[in-house]
Amino acid sequence: MSSQNNRHSMADIEMEDKESGDLRFVIETPRGSRNKYKYMPKENYYELAVVLPEGMTFPIDFGFVPSTLGGDGDALDVLVLMDAPVPLGTVIKGRLIGALTARQKENDGQWQRNDRLIAVATRARTHETIKNITDLRPNTVTDIKEFFINYNKLHGRKFEIDETCGPNKASKLLKIGMAMYQKKRKKS
């Protein structure tokens, strides 16, 4: 068997830490970065996807939830609040506090779901009391929404937020993503 077949994809790591019950998230793009990276699960590496214009940076660490699948065919996106940005590829343990249900209109004119789960890192000192998206400063959620609207506009796509929801709805979206992942895995 080749070494490539022995590699373990970060997209397939166990999503839940059985001991603590925390979820695992993989960071693709650190907060404050102009560079947007994308994890390529088949190849098991990160690729530079986009360089944002001067003055535009990711407002929060951006990554994915392993062992899930979203409506866009990739792992579910997650935004992770923590005290300081971490390098890409870092696995963070945390808890869901909410989600932005969203859809984006692709260049071909088709709409597809592209939700954003929102989480807090378990070890985040400044965010340790946050349990629900409503616990965040009001401008935090607005800034995140505006960032993704403008980010997509740069790429000729329209991005619309359908709903801002709390941890219960976020958990339901996570379960749907887990089921989609398992279904795809069984077909492979």
Side-chain angles (χ1 to χ4, degrees):
M1 198 184 272
S2 75
S3 62
Q4 183 156 349
N5 291 336
N6 288 330
R7 275 192 284 179
H8 187 66
S9 171
M10 292 191 83
D12 298 321
I13 63 175
E14 189 69 32
M15 178 192 59
E16 186 178 4
D17 180 283
K18 301 291 186 214
E19 219 172 274
S20 66
D22 291 335
L23 299 173
R24 289 188 179 97
F25 311 115
V26 180
I27 300 303
E28 283 181 309
T29 302
R31 180 180 78 207
S33 178
R34 284 181 55 204
N35 296 332
K36 162 70 168 88
Y37 302 96
K38 180 171 177 59
Y39 180 66
M40 310 301 284
K42 289 180 182 154
E43 297 84 0
N44 197 27
Y45 62 73
Y46 292 87
E47 185 171 277
L48 179 64
V50 174
V51 177
L52 298 176
E54 188 72 40
M56 185 177 187
T57 62
F58 272 77
I60 192 167
D61 288 88
F62 178 84
F64 64 89
V65 183
S67 300
T68 64
L69 199 58
D72 62 355
D74 293 332
L76 290 173
D77 293 330
V78 66
L79 308 167
V80 185
L81 293 155
M82 57 186 118
D83 301 307
V86 296
L88 82 136
T90 302
V91 177
I92 303 290
K93 291 182 187 175
R95 66 182 177 280
L96 293 178
I97 62 164
L100 301 174
T101 60
R103 57 195 180 115
Q104 68 188 40
K105 190 174 190 177
E106 296 299 316
N107 295 329
D108 64 5
Q110 297 294 314
W111 286 95
Q112 69 180 19
R113 287 291 297 266
N114 202 348
D115 300 331
R116 304 288 193 257
L117 299 178
I118 301 177
V120 172
T122 303
R123 305 277 185 242
R125 296 172 54 88
T126 56
H127 305 293
E128 66 187 349
T129 60
I130 296 173
K131 305 289 186 221
N132 193 308
I133 196 168
T134 57
D135 297 335
L136 296 173
R137 292 185 328 254
N139 289 340
T140 301
V141 175
T142 301
D143 291 348
I144 292 168
K145 289 177 181 180
E146 289 301 318
F147 172 81
F148 284 106
I149 289 167
N150 289 311
Y151 173 85
N152 280 281
K153 192 182 294 182
L154 285 171
H155 300 94
R157 297 184 302 242
K158 190 170 184 177
F159 187 82
E160 294 181 354
I161 308 290
D162 295 323
E163 178 185 16
T164 302
C165 49
N168 291 337
K169 175 80 180 255
S171 293
K172 289 177 184 173
L173 294 170
L174 182 65
K175 287 178 183 166
I176 292 167
M178 292 166 50
M180 289 176 65
Y181 172 83
Q182 289 300 327
K183 185 177 178 179
K184 181 179 178 186
R185 224 170 154 193
K186 286 178 183 175
K187 286 182 181 180
S188 303

